[in-house]
PDB file of all heavy atoms in Angstrom:
ATOM      1  N   GLN D  38      85.945 120.536 109.955  1.00 97.00           N
ATOM      2  CA  GLN D  38      85.194 120.202 108.750  1.00 97.00           C
ATOM      3  C   GLN D  38      85.537 121.204 107.661  1.00 97.00           C
ATOM      4  O   GLN D  38      85.229 122.394 107.771  1.00 97.00           O
ATOM      5  CB  GLN D  38      83.683 120.209 109.031  1.00 97.00           C
ATOM      6  CG  GLN D  38      82.854 119.717 107.855  1.00 97.00           C
ATOM      7  CD  GLN D  38      81.381 119.563 108.195  1.00 97.00           C
ATOM      8  OE1 GLN D  38      80.853 120.263 109.049  1.00 97.00           O
ATOM      9  NE2 GLN D  38      80.709 118.626 107.511  1.00 97.00           N
ATOM     10  N   SER D  43      83.372 115.822 105.242  1.00 94.00           N
ATOM     11  CA  SER D  43      82.829 115.314 106.498  1.00 94.00           C
ATOM     12  C   SER D  43      83.709 115.748 107.667  1.00 94.00           C
ATOM     13  O   SER D  43      84.868 116.117 107.488  1.00 94.00           O
ATOM     14  CB  SER D  43      82.741 113.788 106.432  1.00 94.00           C
ATOM     15  OG  SER D  43      84.029 113.224 106.306  1.00 94.00           O
ATOM     16  N   TYR D  51      88.189 114.647 128.505  1.00 91.00           N
ATOM     17  CA  TYR D  51      87.271 114.231 129.562  1.00 91.00           C
ATOM     18  C   TYR D  51      87.477 115.015 130.851  1.00 91.00           C
ATOM     19  O   TYR D  51      86.537 115.254 131.604  1.00 91.00           O
ATOM     20  CB  TYR D  51      87.501 112.754 129.927  1.00 91.00           C
ATOM     21  CG  TYR D  51      87.126 111.763 128.884  1.00 91.00           C
ATOM     22  CD1 TYR D  51      88.061 110.851 128.412  1.00 91.00           C
ATOM     23  CD2 TYR D  51      85.838 111.710 128.382  1.00 91.00           C
ATOM     24  CE1 TYR D  51      87.716 109.916 127.457  1.00 91.00           C
ATOM     25  CE2 TYR D  51      85.487 110.759 127.424  1.00 91.00           C
ATOM     26  CZ  TYR D  51      86.433 109.873 126.966  1.00 91.00           C
ATOM     27  OH  TYR D  51      86.100 108.934 126.028  1.00 91.00           O
ATOM     28  N   ASN D  92      79.209 114.493 124.161  1.00 88.00           N
ATOM     29  CA  ASN D  92      78.667 113.146 124.093  1.00 88.00           C
ATOM     30  C   ASN D  92      77.443 113.014 125.000  1.00 88.00           C
ATOM     31  O   ASN D  92      77.378 113.661 126.051  1.00 88.00           O
ATOM     32  CB  ASN D  92      79.728 112.139 124.532  1.00 88.00           C
ATOM     33  CG  ASN D  92      79.663 110.858 123.740  1.00 88.00           C
ATOM     34  OD1 ASN D  92      78.858 110.702 122.838  1.00 88.00           O
ATOM     35  ND2 ASN D  92      80.517 109.907 124.095  1.00 88.00           N
ATOM     36  N   ASN D  97      76.038 107.292 123.126  1.00 80.00           N
ATOM     37  CA  ASN D  97      75.554 106.835 121.837  1.00 80.00           C
ATOM     38  C   ASN D  97      75.382 107.928 120.803  1.00 80.00           C
ATOM     39  O   ASN D  97      75.183 107.627 119.629  1.00 80.00           O
ATOM     40  CB  ASN D  97      74.197 106.131 122.009  1.00 80.00           C
ATOM     41  CG  ASN D  97      74.333 104.840 122.789  1.00 80.00           C
ATOM     42  OD1 ASN D  97      75.412 104.273 122.886  1.00 80.00           O
ATOM     43  ND2 ASN D  97      73.237 104.392 123.353  1.00 80.00           N
ATOM     44  N   GLN D  98      75.399 109.186 121.204  1.00 87.00           N
ATOM     45  CA  GLN D  98      75.204 110.230 120.226  1.00 87.00           C
ATOM     46  C   GLN D  98      75.951 111.482 120.613  1.00 87.00           C
ATOM     47  O   GLN D  98      76.223 111.724 121.782  1.00 87.00           O
ATOM     48  CB  GLN D  98      73.713 110.552 120.066  1.00 87.00           C
ATOM     49  CG  GLN D  98      73.095 111.260 121.255  1.00 87.00           C
ATOM     50  CD  GLN D  98      71.641 111.612 121.001  1.00 87.00           C
ATOM     51  OE1 GLN D  98      70.740 110.832 121.253  1.00 87.00           O
ATOM     52  NE2 GLN D  98      71.427 112.814 120.501  1.00 87.00           N
ATOM     53  N   PHE D  99      76.296 112.257 119.582  1.00 89.00           N
ATOM     54  CA  PHE D  99      76.902 113.556 119.772  1.00 89.00           C
ATOM     55  C   PHE D  99      75.836 114.632 119.679  1.00 89.00           C
ATOM     56  O   PHE D  99      74.918 114.541 118.862  1.00 89.00           O
ATOM     57  CB  PHE D  99      77.935 113.848 118.682  1.00 89.00           C
ATOM     58  CG  PHE D  99      79.206 113.066 118.786  1.00 89.00           C
ATOM     59  CD1 PHE D  99      79.627 112.264 117.745  1.00 89.00           C
ATOM     60  CD2 PHE D  99      80.007 113.155 119.912  1.00 89.00           C
ATOM     61  CE1 PHE D  99      80.813 111.557 117.813  1.00 89.00           C
ATOM     62  CE2 PHE D  99      81.201 112.450 119.998  1.00 89.00           C
ATOM     63  CZ  PHE D  99      81.601 111.647 118.943  1.00 89.00           C
TER      64      PHE D  99
ATOM     65  N   TYR L  35      73.578 111.025 110.884  1.00 97.00           N
ATOM     66  CA  TYR L  35      73.378 112.430 111.217  1.00 97.00           C
ATOM     67  C   TYR L  35      72.925 113.171 109.962  1.00 97.00           C
ATOM     68  O   TYR L  35      73.323 112.836 108.841  1.00 97.00           O
ATOM     69  CB  TYR L  35      74.684 113.066 111.717  1.00 97.00           C
ATOM     70  CG  TYR L  35      75.112 112.609 113.090  1.00 97.00           C
ATOM     71  CD1 TYR L  35      75.782 111.403 113.272  1.00 97.00           C
ATOM     72  CD2 TYR L  35      74.846 113.386 114.213  1.00 97.00           C
ATOM     73  CE1 TYR L  35      76.179 110.984 114.533  1.00 97.00           C
ATOM     74  CE2 TYR L  35      75.242 112.974 115.483  1.00 97.00           C
ATOM     75  CZ  TYR L  35      75.900 111.777 115.626  1.00 97.00           C
ATOM     76  OH  TYR L  35      76.290 111.368 116.884  1.00 97.00           O
ATOM     77  N   GLN L  37      73.045 117.011 108.353  1.00 97.00           N
ATOM     78  CA  GLN L  37      73.673 118.318 108.500  1.00 97.00           C
ATOM     79  C   GLN L  37      73.128 119.263 107.442  1.00 97.00           C
ATOM     80  O   GLN L  37      73.485 119.170 106.266  1.00 97.00           O
ATOM     81  CB  GLN L  37      75.191 118.225 108.410  1.00 97.00           C
ATOM     82  CG  GLN L  37      75.880 119.551 108.732  1.00 97.00           C
ATOM     83  CD  GLN L  37      77.391 119.452 108.740  1.00 97.00           C
ATOM     84  OE1 GLN L  37      77.972 118.563 108.129  1.00 97.00           O
ATOM     85  NE2 GLN L  37      78.045 120.365 109.450  1.00 97.00           N
ATOM     86  N   GLN L  48      70.885 105.540 115.844  1.00 95.00           N
ATOM     87  CA  GLN L  48      72.049 104.678 115.922  1.00 95.00           C
ATOM     88  C   GLN L  48      71.602 103.210 115.869  1.00 95.00           C
ATOM     89  O   GLN L  48      70.600 102.838 116.487  1.00 95.00           O
ATOM     90  CB  GLN L  48      72.824 104.910 117.214  1.00 95.00           C
ATOM     91  CG  GLN L  48      74.100 104.069 117.310  1.00 95.00           C
ATOM     92  CD  GLN L  48      74.825 104.293 118.617  1.00 95.00           C
ATOM     93  OE1 GLN L  48      74.474 103.720 119.650  1.00 95.00           O
ATOM     94  NE2 GLN L  48      75.855 105.136 118.582  1.00 95.00           N
ATOM     95  N   GLN L  56      69.120 103.986 119.620  1.00 91.00           N
ATOM     96  CA  GLN L  56      68.733 105.312 120.105  1.00 91.00           C
ATOM     97  C   GLN L  56      68.278 106.140 118.919  1.00 91.00           C
ATOM     98  O   GLN L  56      68.778 105.959 117.795  1.00 91.00           O
ATOM     99  CB  GLN L  56      69.918 105.984 120.815  1.00 91.00           C
ATOM    100  CG  GLN L  56      69.543 107.238 121.577  1.00 91.00           C
ATOM    101  CD  GLN L  56      70.585 107.623 122.610  1.00 91.00           C
ATOM    102  OE1 GLN L  56      71.472 106.830 122.943  1.00 91.00           O
ATOM    103  NE2 GLN L  56      70.484 108.829 123.129  1.00 91.00           N
ATOM    104  N   GLY L  99      82.514 104.863 123.854  1.00 74.00           N
ATOM    105  CA  GLY L  99      82.139 106.219 124.217  1.00 74.00           C
ATOM    106  C   GLY L  99      82.353 107.210 123.086  1.00 74.00           C
ATOM    107  O   GLY L  99      82.607 108.388 123.318  1.00 74.00           O
ATOM    108  N   ASN L 100      82.243 106.714 121.859  1.00 74.00           N
ATOM    109  CA  ASN L 100      82.407 107.575 120.682  1.00 74.00           C
ATOM    110  C   ASN L 100      83.828 108.104 120.502  1.00 74.00           C
ATOM    111  O   ASN L 100      84.064 108.946 119.646  1.00 74.00           O
ATOM    112  CB  ASN L 100      81.430 108.751 120.701  1.00 74.00           C
ATOM    113  CG  ASN L 100      80.114 108.417 120.016  1.00 74.00           C
ATOM    114  OD1 ASN L 100      80.071 107.543 119.146  1.00 74.00           O
ATOM    115  ND2 ASN L 100      79.064 109.085 120.388  1.00 74.00           N
ATOM    116  N   THR L 101      84.777 107.637 121.289  1.00 75.00           N
ATOM    117  CA  THR L 101      86.150 108.113 121.110  1.00 75.00           C
ATOM    118  C   THR L 101      86.773 107.568 119.839  1.00 75.00           C
ATOM    119  O   THR L 101      87.785 108.068 119.374  1.00 75.00           O
ATOM    120  CB  THR L 101      87.030 107.710 122.297  1.00 75.00           C
ATOM    121  OG1 THR L 101      86.992 106.291 122.439  1.00 75.00           O
ATOM    122  CG2 THR L 101      86.553 108.378 123.576  1.00 75.00           C
ATOM    123  N   GLY L 106      81.912 109.054 107.602  1.00 96.00           N
ATOM    124  CA  GLY L 106      82.075 108.874 106.174  1.00 96.00           C
ATOM    125  C   GLY L 106      82.053 110.221 105.479  1.00 96.00           C
ATOM    126  O   GLY L 106      81.876 111.265 106.112  1.00 96.00           O
TER     127      GLY L 106
END
Side-chain angles (χ1 to χ4, degrees):
Chain D
Q38 186 173 29
S43 64
Y51 292 124
N92 217 2
N97 293 340
Q98 70 177 88
F99 288 122
Chain L
Y35 288 81
Q37 187 176 23
Q48 183 182 81
Q56 191 161 346
N100 270 334
T101 57

